[in-house]
Amino acid sequence: MTNEPPTGLQANMLRSYQSYPVKDQNFFDGCLGKTNIFTKLLYGITFFHAVIQERKKFGPIGWNIPYGFNESDYHISIQQLQMYINEYDEIPFEAVTYLTGECNYGGRVTDDWDRRTLKTILNIFCCPQVVENSDYLFCEISTKYGLPFRIDYLGFIEQIEEIPIVSSPEVFGLHMNAGITRDLQSTSQLFDSMLLVVESSGSTDDSDTVENLLIGIASDILSKLPNNFDVEMASTKYPVMYNESMNTVLVQEMERFNILLSVIRKSLQDLIKAIRGAIVMTPELETMSLSLSVAKYPVFWSKFSYPSLKSLGGYITNFIERLNFLQIWYENGKPNNFWLSGLFFTQAFLTGAMQNFARRYTILIDQLCFDFEVQHSDRINAAPEDGVYCYGLFVDGARWDRSNMVLEESFPKVLTDVLPLVWFIPMRKNKLEDKNRYVCPVYKTSERKGILSTTGHSTNYVLPIFLDTNKNASHWVYRGVALLCQLND
């Protein structure tokens, strides 16, 4: 049996207040002489509990990984809160937030960026202002999201009942556009489920038409695929050099893309042969044909591919663009601006850029890190003296203000924004300036979550980039802002 949380902020909070132990008057008034302090912070943690559960509905912009926060996390947190308030003259906020954010709820969190988000949200709902400021609001859009004037049990129930049944995304710290993201995600899940039924049935009245369609799709993709890269020629033209690590990066990228290119080409050729009866239709080819018939790229390719959430057409177009980028690099030499999103193994490229700097100035690579400077244009016709210029990143959950060169709120109904060219500047870690900048994670796809590969890197996460902002960095953490290497389509 599972005990699902109620849908909606109001219903979630009402359940918490109308359940044991909160509804027990002995517990609610359990801090003699400090009842006002306890009941306000209790309301804050109840609000926090509802918010972190509701954020799951917004997909990766809410949480990278959906966690099963439940009533036991809430109960232990409020009991510890009561214990600390009773035992200490001054409220030990540091201890309360550590136990709640790192142990009770944080014990479920496996992603470091989600842990940062959880602690940021908790600091809004469990802080000295909740106790000291009677006009404190958990969300600025309405006084309904603040503390009640009456701080007895019925006063809190009345305050919760005033909260709208359907709350704006801003109540959960997200931009209004997150509502569109949530609806798109729900629609996408519905269509995916319907397609899954079509795929699993795999039956049709007119099998000849489907077979001809599949042969047409496979032949069209095969006609667009270029020949494999000549890795030997590339190794001769770009040999392993001590002072130029990018030569190795190019050759390794070509090798990786050659493997994927060969897999795609052979699987499509085999599919055509199997449809025509020249070879046996294996279960793998059968699954592949079902995927192609609903415009999805086959799962079989994923084993050899970079992460992608694109449809079949978008995937093939993007794949050919990546191959063209490497071909131009091979023919014309190292580019001035690198397409960061077009690389198969981004971490190897970043290590190569840092290695060039380390060898040039004879510094241990362990003592180096990247600083970042967003440029005013999308391309620059000259390479920087140190580091690399990179393009191809998208801002998710905010936009880049090109006039003031800072992060800003998204325009209504515009979900993503293109980030201009970024200068990756290698420097010593002790020289990195601590400015008011948002540490923004970079992901390969909008799914954000990934698995740890054998190289020690996540299959989705790339690195953090520092972005200038006029607001407090915690504002963008709450907003769930991240950079993406590619959009869904």
Side-chain angles (χ1 to χ4, degrees):
M1 286 180 64
T2 59
N3 191 4
E4 290 289 324
T7 302
L9 183 72
Q10 186 204 67
N12 195 310
M13 293 182 70
L14 269 178
R15 180 168 117 172
S16 296
Y17 263 78
Q18 291 172 349
S19 304
Y20 184 84
V22 182
K23 71 174 183 179
D24 181 0
Q25 199 65 33
N26 292 328
F27 176 81
F28 193 81
D29 297 328
C31 293
L32 295 174
K34 299 177 183 176
T35 305
N36 289 2
I37 295 171
F38 174 64
T39 52
K40 286 180 178 180
L41 288 173
L42 173 65
Y43 187 73
I45 288 180
T46 307
F47 208 122
F48 162 78
H49 176 72
V51 163
I52 61 173
Q53 287 189 324
E54 288 295 305
R55 276 177 74 102
K56 282 195 288 187
K57 295 178 183 174
F58 296 91
I61 204 167
W63 298 109
N64 290 355
I65 300 167
Y67 302 102
F69 301 122
N70 59 32
E71 296 300 302
S72 63
D73 303 328
Y74 171 68
H75 290 157
I76 189 66
S77 296
I78 59 176
Q79 284 165 4
Q80 286 173 343
L81 173 69
Q82 187 184 68
M83 180 187 74
Y84 273 104
I85 290 175
N86 278 331
E87 286 188 9
Y88 293 90
D89 294 332
E90 290 188 8
I91 310 160
F93 281 104
E94 197 173 331
V96 172
T97 53
Y98 181 83
L99 284 171
T100 306
E102 295 281 0
C103 303
N104 304 337
Y105 289 94
R108 299 182 185 277
V109 178
T110 53
D111 184 280
D112 289 339
W113 300 102
D114 280 342
R115 185 172 285 106
R116 179 182 74 162
T117 304
L118 184 76
K119 290 193 287 186
T120 302
I121 297 171
L122 183 58
N123 287 336
I124 293 168
F125 295 97
C126 184
C127 61
Q129 289 94 312
V130 175
V131 177
E132 295 162 7
N133 183 3
S134 58
D135 297 324
Y136 183 74
L137 298 177
F138 298 125
C139 177
E140 299 292 333
I141 61 174
S142 170
T143 54
K144 293 175 183 177
Y145 302 109
L147 292 162
F149 293 110
R150 286 173 51 202
I151 50 174
D152 58 342
Y153 181 76
L154 288 176
F156 283 105
I157 294 289
E158 287 171 9
Q159 180 75 5
I160 294 168
E161 287 173 342
E162 282 187 19
I163 294 173
I165 294 171
V166 179
S167 298
S168 159
E170 289 180 292
V171 179
F172 312 110
L174 303 168
H175 190 270
M176 284 295 292
N177 288 348
I180 301 171
T181 307
R182 177 194 56 207
D183 296 341
L184 285 172
Q185 186 185 344
S186 302
T187 310
S188 177
Q189 284 175 349
L190 174 65
F191 284 136
D192 284 345
S193 301
M194 292 169 69
L195 287 174
L196 203 62
V197 174
V198 174
E199 281 186 73
S200 58
S201 63
S203 59
T204 177
D205 296 332
D206 194 354
S207 58
D208 288 344
T209 308
V210 175
E211 286 177 358
N212 291 334
L213 175 68
L214 287 170
I215 290 172
I217 292 170
S219 302
D220 182 51
I221 294 171
L222 284 169
S223 68
K224 292 176 180 176
L225 295 180
N227 296 325
N228 283 22
F229 292 116
D230 190 334
V231 176
E232 285 188 19
M233 283 286 289
S235 301
T236 307
K237 188 175 179 181
Y238 296 95
V240 176
M241 293 172 64
Y242 181 79
N243 60 350
E244 187 48 88
S245 299
M246 288 301 167
N247 290 0
T248 309
V249 171
L250 174 62
V251 174
Q252 288 178 350
E253 284 289 312
M254 285 181 163
E255 287 171 349
R256 291 187 185 96
F257 275 105
N258 271 355
I259 293 169
L260 178 56
L261 193 54
S262 300
V263 166
I264 292 175
R265 185 183 285 111
K266 186 174 187 309
S267 62
L268 290 171
Q269 289 169 345
D270 286 351
L271 180 64
I272 293 172
K273 288 177 187 175
I275 291 170
R276 289 175 175 162
I279 61 171
V280 176
M281 177 72 84
T282 62
E284 200 170 67
L285 290 174
E286 182 73 33
T287 307
M288 181 177 163
S289 67
L290 293 172
S291 296
L292 294 182
S293 65
V294 292
K296 291 166 72 175
Y297 74 91
V299 177
F300 170 63
W301 295 357
S302 302
K303 299 173 187 174
F304 307 92
S305 174
Y306 46 85
S308 179
L309 298 177
K310 292 181 180 289
S311 62
L312 177 65
Y315 179 83
I316 294 298
T317 303
N318 180 259
F319 177 56
I320 291 167
E321 285 173 357
R322 289 170 185 248
L323 297 175
N324 290 339
F325 170 68
L326 288 184
Q327 186 63 36
I328 292 167
W329 184 349
Y330 170 75
E331 290 173 359
N332 301 339
K334 192 170 78 167
N336 295 327
N337 309 310
F338 290 91
W339 183 25
L340 191 70
S341 315
L343 298 164
F344 203 111
F345 188 37
T346 319
Q347 283 85 354
F349 164 76
L350 296 171
T351 304
M354 198 171 278
Q355 206 168 49
N356 278 352
F357 183 85
R359 288 174 173 176
R360 183 176 181 181
Y361 296 101
T362 332
I363 305 169
L364 291 173
I365 197 167
D366 293 344
Q367 296 176 359
L368 297 177
C369 66
F370 279 117
D371 196 6
F372 306 92
E373 193 176 291
V374 181
Q375 305 301 297
H376 287 82
S377 60
D378 291 327
R379 299 287 185 279
I380 292 177
N381 293 327
E385 188 177 345
D386 293 317
V388 285
Y389 288 136
C390 296
Y391 64 93
L393 294 174
F394 302 89
V395 188
D396 186 25
R399 68 180 174 88
W400 185 256
D401 185 345
R402 294 187 179 225
S403 54
N404 297 318
M405 299 304 285
V406 290
L407 267 182
E408 270 300 340
E409 297 289 2
S410 302
F411 290 124
K413 300 181 183 179
V414 181
L415 303 183
T416 55
D417 186 32
V418 177
L419 190 71
L421 197 69
V422 181
W423 181 15
F424 286 61
I425 314 165
M427 62 165 56
R428 287 181 185 271
K429 290 176 181 175
N430 56 12
K431 290 188 177 177
L432 187 67
E433 292 182 21
D434 186 20
K435 306 177 197 170
N436 178 36
R437 295 191 290 180
Y438 171 55
V439 182
C440 186
V442 180
Y443 299 98
K444 292 180 182 177
T445 68
S446 63
E447 192 177 31
R448 300 196 186 187
K449 67 179 178 183
I451 55 172
L452 201 64
S453 61
T454 51
T455 58
H457 299 96
S458 167
T459 52
N460 205 341
Y461 172 67
V462 182
L463 84 165
I465 283 184
F466 310 129
L467 297 177
D468 290 324
T469 171
N470 290 333
K471 293 182 170 69
N472 197 305
S474 61
H475 173 80
W476 304 114
V477 175
Y478 203 15
R479 280 278 194 259
V481 175
L483 291 173
L484 307 178
C485 289
Q486 57 175 303
L487 304 178
N488 291 8
D489 252 331

PDB file of all heavy atoms in Angstrom, residues 45-71:
ATOM      1  N   ILE A  45       7.366  24.907   8.412  1.00  0.00           N
ATOM      2  CA  ILE A  45       7.827  23.578   7.974  1.00  0.00           C
ATOM      3  C   ILE A  45       6.704  22.829   7.258  1.00  0.00           C
ATOM      4  O   ILE A  45       6.951  22.084   6.304  1.00  0.00           O
ATOM      5  CB  ILE A  45       8.394  22.778   9.172  1.00  0.00           C
ATOM      6  CG1 ILE A  45       9.738  23.387   9.582  1.00  0.00           C
ATOM      7  CG2 ILE A  45       8.556  21.298   8.841  1.00  0.00           C
ATOM      8  CD1 ILE A  45      10.431  22.715  10.734  1.00  0.00           C
ATOM      9  N   THR A  46       5.459  23.046   7.676  1.00  0.00           N
ATOM     10  CA  THR A  46       4.319  22.430   6.987  1.00  0.00           C
ATOM     11  C   THR A  46       4.209  22.969   5.558  1.00  0.00           C
ATOM     12  O   THR A  46       3.986  22.217   4.602  1.00  0.00           O
ATOM     13  CB  THR A  46       3.005  22.714   7.751  1.00  0.00           C
ATOM     14  OG1 THR A  46       3.166  22.321   9.114  1.00  0.00           O
ATOM     15  CG2 THR A  46       1.837  21.973   7.137  1.00  0.00           C
ATOM     16  N   PHE A  47       4.396  24.285   5.416  1.00  0.00           N
ATOM     17  CA  PHE A  47       4.379  24.937   4.099  1.00  0.00           C
ATOM     18  C   PHE A  47       5.529  24.394   3.246  1.00  0.00           C
ATOM     19  O   PHE A  47       5.357  24.047   2.070  1.00  0.00           O
ATOM     20  CB  PHE A  47       4.523  26.460   4.282  1.00  0.00           C
ATOM     21  CG  PHE A  47       3.878  27.275   3.195  1.00  0.00           C
ATOM     22  CD1 PHE A  47       2.895  28.220   3.496  1.00  0.00           C
ATOM     23  CD2 PHE A  47       4.265  27.136   1.875  1.00  0.00           C
ATOM     24  CE1 PHE A  47       2.305  28.989   2.505  1.00  0.00           C
ATOM     25  CE2 PHE A  47       3.686  27.896   0.878  1.00  0.00           C
ATOM     26  CZ  PHE A  47       2.702  28.830   1.192  1.00  0.00           C
ATOM     27  N   PHE A  48       6.711  24.291   3.846  1.00  0.00           N
ATOM     28  CA  PHE A  48       7.898  23.749   3.175  1.00  0.00           C
ATOM     29  C   PHE A  48       7.638  22.322   2.677  1.00  0.00           C
ATOM     30  O   PHE A  48       7.960  21.974   1.535  1.00  0.00           O
ATOM     31  CB  PHE A  48       9.083  23.783   4.154  1.00  0.00           C
ATOM     32  CG  PHE A  48      10.233  22.895   3.799  1.00  0.00           C
ATOM     33  CD1 PHE A  48      11.139  23.275   2.812  1.00  0.00           C
ATOM     34  CD2 PHE A  48      10.440  21.680   4.457  1.00  0.00           C
ATOM     35  CE1 PHE A  48      12.213  22.459   2.487  1.00  0.00           C
ATOM     36  CE2 PHE A  48      11.512  20.866   4.136  1.00  0.00           C
ATOM     37  CZ  PHE A  48      12.399  21.246   3.149  1.00  0.00           C
ATOM     38  N   HIS A  49       7.047  21.495   3.536  1.00  0.00           N
ATOM     39  CA  HIS A  49       6.754  20.100   3.194  1.00  0.00           C
ATOM     40  C   HIS A  49       5.838  20.020   1.964  1.00  0.00           C
ATOM     41  O   HIS A  49       6.062  19.201   1.061  1.00  0.00           O
ATOM     42  CB  HIS A  49       6.093  19.420   4.402  1.00  0.00           C
ATOM     43  CG  HIS A  49       5.657  18.010   4.158  1.00  0.00           C
ATOM     44  ND1 HIS A  49       6.552  16.967   4.040  1.00  0.00           N
ATOM     45  CD2 HIS A  49       4.400  17.472   3.997  1.00  0.00           C
ATOM     46  CE1 HIS A  49       5.874  15.840   3.823  1.00  0.00           C
ATOM     47  NE2 HIS A  49       4.576  16.120   3.795  1.00  0.00           N
ATOM     48  N   ALA A  50       4.819  20.895   1.931  1.00  0.00           N
ATOM     49  CA  ALA A  50       3.880  20.898   0.801  1.00  0.00           C
ATOM     50  C   ALA A  50       4.560  21.390  -0.479  1.00  0.00           C
ATOM     51  O   ALA A  50       4.349  20.829  -1.562  1.00  0.00           O
ATOM     52  CB  ALA A  50       2.673  21.782   1.135  1.00  0.00           C
ATOM     53  N   VAL A  51       5.383  22.433  -0.356  1.00  0.00           N
ATOM     54  CA  VAL A  51       6.052  23.020  -1.530  1.00  0.00           C
ATOM     55  C   VAL A  51       6.981  22.007  -2.196  1.00  0.00           C
ATOM     56  O   VAL A  51       6.971  21.836  -3.421  1.00  0.00           O
ATOM     57  CB  VAL A  51       6.830  24.304  -1.134  1.00  0.00           C
ATOM     58  CG1 VAL A  51       7.842  24.692  -2.204  1.00  0.00           C
ATOM     59  CG2 VAL A  51       5.857  25.449  -0.897  1.00  0.00           C
ATOM     60  N   ILE A  52       7.806  21.310  -1.392  1.00  0.00           N
ATOM     61  CA  ILE A  52       8.777  20.390  -2.014  1.00  0.00           C
ATOM     62  C   ILE A  52       8.077  19.184  -2.647  1.00  0.00           C
ATOM     63  O   ILE A  52       8.597  18.605  -3.606  1.00  0.00           O
ATOM     64  CB  ILE A  52       9.873  19.936  -1.020  1.00  0.00           C
ATOM     65  CG1 ILE A  52       9.289  19.177   0.168  1.00  0.00           C
ATOM     66  CG2 ILE A  52      10.696  21.125  -0.553  1.00  0.00           C
ATOM     67  CD1 ILE A  52      10.345  18.572   1.067  1.00  0.00           C
ATOM     68  N   GLN A  53       6.893  18.822  -2.140  1.00  0.00           N
ATOM     69  CA  GLN A  53       6.144  17.742  -2.787  1.00  0.00           C
ATOM     70  C   GLN A  53       5.482  18.224  -4.068  1.00  0.00           C
ATOM     71  O   GLN A  53       5.456  17.506  -5.074  1.00  0.00           O
ATOM     72  CB  GLN A  53       5.093  17.180  -1.822  1.00  0.00           C
ATOM     73  CG  GLN A  53       5.696  16.341  -0.699  1.00  0.00           C
ATOM     74  CD  GLN A  53       4.648  15.609   0.115  1.00  0.00           C
ATOM     75  OE1 GLN A  53       3.560  16.123   0.356  1.00  0.00           O
ATOM     76  NE2 GLN A  53       4.982  14.416   0.572  1.00  0.00           N
ATOM     77  N   GLU A  54       4.964  19.446  -4.071  1.00  0.00           N
ATOM     78  CA  GLU A  54       4.284  19.982  -5.246  1.00  0.00           C
ATOM     79  C   GLU A  54       5.263  20.284  -6.388  1.00  0.00           C
ATOM     80  O   GLU A  54       4.884  20.226  -7.554  1.00  0.00           O
ATOM     81  CB  GLU A  54       3.511  21.245  -4.882  1.00  0.00           C
ATOM     82  CG  GLU A  54       2.262  20.998  -4.057  1.00  0.00           C
ATOM     83  CD  GLU A  54       1.203  20.220  -4.811  1.00  0.00           C
ATOM     84  OE1 GLU A  54       0.809  20.638  -5.901  1.00  0.00           O
ATOM     85  OE2 GLU A  54       0.792  19.159  -4.314  1.00  0.00           O
ATOM     86  N   ARG A  55       6.515  20.595  -6.060  1.00  0.00           N
ATOM     87  CA  ARG A  55       7.510  20.914  -7.104  1.00  0.00           C
ATOM     88  C   ARG A  55       7.771  19.722  -8.029  1.00  0.00           C
ATOM     89  O   ARG A  55       8.221  19.907  -9.159  1.00  0.00           O
ATOM     90  CB  ARG A  55       8.826  21.369  -6.472  1.00  0.00           C
ATOM     91  CG  ARG A  55       8.859  22.837  -6.102  1.00  0.00           C
ATOM     92  CD  ARG A  55      10.166  23.188  -5.414  1.00  0.00           C
ATOM     93  NE  ARG A  55      11.293  23.235  -6.337  1.00  0.00           N
ATOM     94  CZ  ARG A  55      11.834  24.358  -6.826  1.00  0.00           C
ATOM     95  NH1 ARG A  55      11.332  25.530  -6.489  1.00  0.00           N
ATOM     96  NH2 ARG A  55      12.870  24.312  -7.639  1.00  0.00           N
ATOM     97  N   LYS A  56       7.480  18.521  -7.556  1.00  0.00           N
ATOM     98  CA  LYS A  56       7.697  17.329  -8.391  1.00  0.00           C
ATOM     99  C   LYS A  56       6.868  17.378  -9.675  1.00  0.00           C
ATOM    100  O   LYS A  56       7.261  16.803 -10.692  1.00  0.00           O
ATOM    101  CB  LYS A  56       7.334  16.061  -7.607  1.00  0.00           C
ATOM    102  CG  LYS A  56       8.384  15.638  -6.611  1.00  0.00           C
ATOM    103  CD  LYS A  56       8.156  14.195  -6.135  1.00  0.00           C
ATOM    104  CE  LYS A  56       6.950  14.121  -5.223  1.00  0.00           C
ATOM    105  NZ  LYS A  56       6.811  12.769  -4.624  1.00  0.00           N
ATOM    106  N   LYS A  57       5.710  18.050  -9.614  1.00  0.00           N
ATOM    107  CA  LYS A  57       4.815  18.099 -10.778  1.00  0.00           C
ATOM    108  C   LYS A  57       5.420  18.882 -11.948  1.00  0.00           C
ATOM    109  O   LYS A  57       4.964  18.758 -13.075  1.00  0.00           O
ATOM    110  CB  LYS A  57       3.486  18.753 -10.389  1.00  0.00           C
ATOM    111  CG  LYS A  57       2.701  17.955  -9.372  1.00  0.00           C
ATOM    112  CD  LYS A  57       1.438  18.699  -9.014  1.00  0.00           C
ATOM    113  CE  LYS A  57       0.673  17.940  -7.938  1.00  0.00           C
ATOM    114  NZ  LYS A  57      -0.489  18.694  -7.458  1.00  0.00           N
ATOM    115  N   PHE A  58       6.425  19.706 -11.644  1.00  0.00           N
ATOM    116  CA  PHE A  58       6.994  20.556 -12.687  1.00  0.00           C
ATOM    117  C   PHE A  58       8.184  19.892 -13.395  1.00  0.00           C
ATOM    118  O   PHE A  58       8.856  20.518 -14.207  1.00  0.00           O
ATOM    119  CB  PHE A  58       7.416  21.901 -12.088  1.00  0.00           C
ATOM    120  CG  PHE A  58       6.264  22.697 -11.550  1.00  0.00           C
ATOM    121  CD1 PHE A  58       5.860  22.575 -10.228  1.00  0.00           C
ATOM    122  CD2 PHE A  58       5.548  23.534 -12.382  1.00  0.00           C
ATOM    123  CE1 PHE A  58       4.781  23.287  -9.735  1.00  0.00           C
ATOM    124  CE2 PHE A  58       4.459  24.262 -11.904  1.00  0.00           C
ATOM    125  CZ  PHE A  58       4.072  24.131 -10.578  1.00  0.00           C
ATOM    126  N   GLY A  59       8.426  18.632 -13.072  1.00  0.00           N
ATOM    127  CA  GLY A  59       9.490  17.893 -13.755  1.00  0.00           C
ATOM    128  C   GLY A  59      10.874  18.333 -13.321  1.00  0.00           C
ATOM    129  O   GLY A  59      11.070  18.793 -12.189  1.00  0.00           O
ATOM    130  N   PRO A  60      11.864  18.254 -14.227  1.00  0.00           N
ATOM    131  CA  PRO A  60      13.264  18.534 -13.876  1.00  0.00           C
ATOM    132  C   PRO A  60      13.525  19.951 -13.369  1.00  0.00           C
ATOM    133  O   PRO A  60      14.500  20.174 -12.661  1.00  0.00           O
ATOM    134  CB  PRO A  60      14.024  18.278 -15.188  1.00  0.00           C
ATOM    135  CG  PRO A  60      13.142  17.375 -15.974  1.00  0.00           C
ATOM    136  CD  PRO A  60      11.746  17.759 -15.611  1.00  0.00           C
ATOM    137  N   ILE A  61      12.652  20.921 -13.737  1.00  0.00           N
ATOM    138  CA  ILE A  61      12.880  22.293 -13.256  1.00  0.00           C
ATOM    139  C   ILE A  61      12.537  22.400 -11.764  1.00  0.00           C
ATOM    140  O   ILE A  61      13.023  23.287 -11.068  1.00  0.00           O
ATOM    141  CB  ILE A  61      12.077  23.318 -14.101  1.00  0.00           C
ATOM    142  CG1 ILE A  61      12.738  24.705 -14.024  1.00  0.00           C
ATOM    143  CG2 ILE A  61      10.617  23.365 -13.697  1.00  0.00           C
ATOM    144  CD1 ILE A  61      12.235  25.684 -15.043  1.00  0.00           C
ATOM    145  N   GLY A  62      11.712  21.462 -11.279  1.00  0.00           N
ATOM    146  CA  GLY A  62      11.397  21.405  -9.844  1.00  0.00           C
ATOM    147  C   GLY A  62      12.451  20.626  -9.088  1.00  0.00           C
ATOM    148  O   GLY A  62      13.066  21.132  -8.157  1.00  0.00           O
ATOM    149  N   TRP A  63      12.656  19.380  -9.500  1.00  0.00           N
ATOM    150  CA  TRP A  63      13.704  18.516  -8.949  1.00  0.00           C
ATOM    151  C   TRP A  63      14.342  17.738 -10.088  1.00  0.00           C
ATOM    152  O   TRP A  63      13.635  17.233 -10.956  1.00  0.00           O
ATOM    153  CB  TRP A  63      13.132  17.510  -7.937  1.00  0.00           C
ATOM    154  CG  TRP A  63      12.493  18.114  -6.725  1.00  0.00           C
ATOM    155  CD1 TRP A  63      11.165  18.147  -6.429  1.00  0.00           C
ATOM    156  CD2 TRP A  63      13.161  18.776  -5.641  1.00  0.00           C
ATOM    157  NE1 TRP A  63      10.958  18.788  -5.227  1.00  0.00           N
ATOM    158  CE2 TRP A  63      12.163  19.184  -4.719  1.00  0.00           C
ATOM    159  CE3 TRP A  63      14.500  19.065  -5.347  1.00  0.00           C
ATOM    160  CZ2 TRP A  63      12.454  19.864  -3.542  1.00  0.00           C
ATOM    161  CZ3 TRP A  63      14.792  19.734  -4.175  1.00  0.00           C
ATOM    162  CH2 TRP A  63      13.787  20.127  -3.284  1.00  0.00           C
ATOM    163  N   ASN A  64      15.660  17.623 -10.083  1.00  0.00           N
ATOM    164  CA  ASN A  64      16.335  16.809 -11.106  1.00  0.00           C
ATOM    165  C   ASN A  64      15.847  15.364 -11.045  1.00  0.00           C
ATOM    166  O   ASN A  64      15.646  14.718 -12.065  1.00  0.00           O
ATOM    167  CB  ASN A  64      17.853  16.819 -10.897  1.00  0.00           C
ATOM    168  CG  ASN A  64      18.467  18.168 -11.212  1.00  0.00           C
ATOM    169  OD1 ASN A  64      17.778  19.077 -11.676  1.00  0.00           O
ATOM    170  ND2 ASN A  64      19.750  18.323 -10.968  1.00  0.00           N
ATOM    171  N   ILE A  65      15.695  14.859  -9.820  1.00  0.00           N
ATOM    172  CA  ILE A  65      15.210  13.496  -9.591  1.00  0.00           C
ATOM    173  C   ILE A  65      13.975  13.608  -8.690  1.00  0.00           C
ATOM    174  O   ILE A  65      14.036  14.274  -7.657  1.00  0.00           O
ATOM    175  CB  ILE A  65      16.294  12.637  -8.895  1.00  0.00           C
ATOM    176  CG1 ILE A  65      17.550  12.571  -9.767  1.00  0.00           C
ATOM    177  CG2 ILE A  65      15.776  11.241  -8.577  1.00  0.00           C
ATOM    178  CD1 ILE A  65      18.771  12.035  -9.063  1.00  0.00           C
ATOM    179  N   PRO A  66      12.846  12.991  -9.042  1.00  0.00           N
ATOM    180  CA  PRO A  66      11.656  13.076  -8.167  1.00  0.00           C
ATOM    181  C   PRO A  66      11.845  12.204  -6.919  1.00  0.00           C
ATOM    182  O   PRO A  66      12.055  11.000  -7.027  1.00  0.00           O
ATOM    183  CB  PRO A  66      10.518  12.549  -9.050  1.00  0.00           C
ATOM    184  CG  PRO A  66      11.179  11.751 -10.124  1.00  0.00           C
ATOM    185  CD  PRO A  66      12.563  12.284 -10.297  1.00  0.00           C
ATOM    186  N   TYR A  67      11.795  12.819  -5.762  1.00  0.00           N
ATOM    187  CA  TYR A  67      12.036  12.104  -4.503  1.00  0.00           C
ATOM    188  C   TYR A  67      10.723  11.809  -3.790  1.00  0.00           C
ATOM    189  O   TYR A  67       9.760  12.564  -3.897  1.00  0.00           O
ATOM    190  CB  TYR A  67      12.940  12.937  -3.576  1.00  0.00           C
ATOM    191  CG  TYR A  67      14.273  13.276  -4.187  1.00  0.00           C
ATOM    192  CD1 TYR A  67      14.520  14.539  -4.723  1.00  0.00           C
ATOM    193  CD2 TYR A  67      15.289  12.326  -4.259  1.00  0.00           C
ATOM    194  CE1 TYR A  67      15.729  14.847  -5.302  1.00  0.00           C
ATOM    195  CE2 TYR A  67      16.511  12.630  -4.839  1.00  0.00           C
ATOM    196  CZ  TYR A  67      16.724  13.892  -5.360  1.00  0.00           C
ATOM    197  OH  TYR A  67      17.932  14.191  -5.938  1.00  0.00           O
ATOM    198  N   GLY A  68      10.730  10.722  -3.023  1.00  0.00           N
ATOM    199  CA  GLY A  68       9.517  10.320  -2.291  1.00  0.00           C
ATOM    200  C   GLY A  68       9.453  10.909  -0.894  1.00  0.00           C
ATOM    201  O   GLY A  68       9.399  10.167   0.093  1.00  0.00           O
ATOM    202  N   PHE A  69       9.475  12.248  -0.798  1.00  0.00           N
ATOM    203  CA  PHE A  69       9.313  12.880   0.529  1.00  0.00           C
ATOM    204  C   PHE A  69       7.953  12.476   1.095  1.00  0.00           C
ATOM    205  O   PHE A  69       6.935  12.570   0.406  1.00  0.00           O
ATOM    206  CB  PHE A  69       9.388  14.408   0.406  1.00  0.00           C
ATOM    207  CG  PHE A  69      10.678  14.918  -0.180  1.00  0.00           C
ATOM    208  CD1 PHE A  69      10.674  15.704  -1.325  1.00  0.00           C
ATOM    209  CD2 PHE A  69      11.897  14.626   0.406  1.00  0.00           C
ATOM    210  CE1 PHE A  69      11.863  16.191  -1.868  1.00  0.00           C
ATOM    211  CE2 PHE A  69      13.083  15.107  -0.123  1.00  0.00           C
ATOM    212  CZ  PHE A  69      13.068  15.884  -1.261  1.00  0.00           C
ATOM    213  N   ASN A  70       7.915  12.067   2.365  1.00  0.00           N
ATOM    214  CA  ASN A  70       6.642  11.593   2.906  1.00  0.00           C
ATOM    215  C   ASN A  70       6.375  12.107   4.314  1.00  0.00           C
ATOM    216  O   ASN A  70       7.143  12.925   4.847  1.00  0.00           O
ATOM    217  CB  ASN A  70       6.588  10.058   2.855  1.00  0.00           C
ATOM    218  CG  ASN A  70       7.707   9.423   3.650  1.00  0.00           C
ATOM    219  OD1 ASN A  70       8.161   9.957   4.668  1.00  0.00           O
ATOM    220  ND2 ASN A  70       8.167   8.264   3.201  1.00  0.00           N
ATOM    221  N   GLU A  71       5.298  11.606   4.899  1.00  0.00           N
ATOM    222  CA  GLU A  71       4.842  12.081   6.209  1.00  0.00           C
ATOM    223  C   GLU A  71       5.864  11.810   7.320  1.00  0.00           C
ATOM    224  O   GLU A  71       5.971  12.589   8.268  1.00  0.00           O
ATOM    225  CB  GLU A  71       3.514  11.400   6.576  1.00  0.00           C
ATOM    226  CG  GLU A  71       2.359  11.735   5.645  1.00  0.00           C
ATOM    227  CD  GLU A  71       2.055  13.218   5.612  1.00  0.00           C
ATOM    228  OE1 GLU A  71       1.763  13.787   6.673  1.00  0.00           O
ATOM    229  OE2 GLU A  71       2.127  13.819   4.529  1.00  0.00           O
TER     230      GLU A  71
END
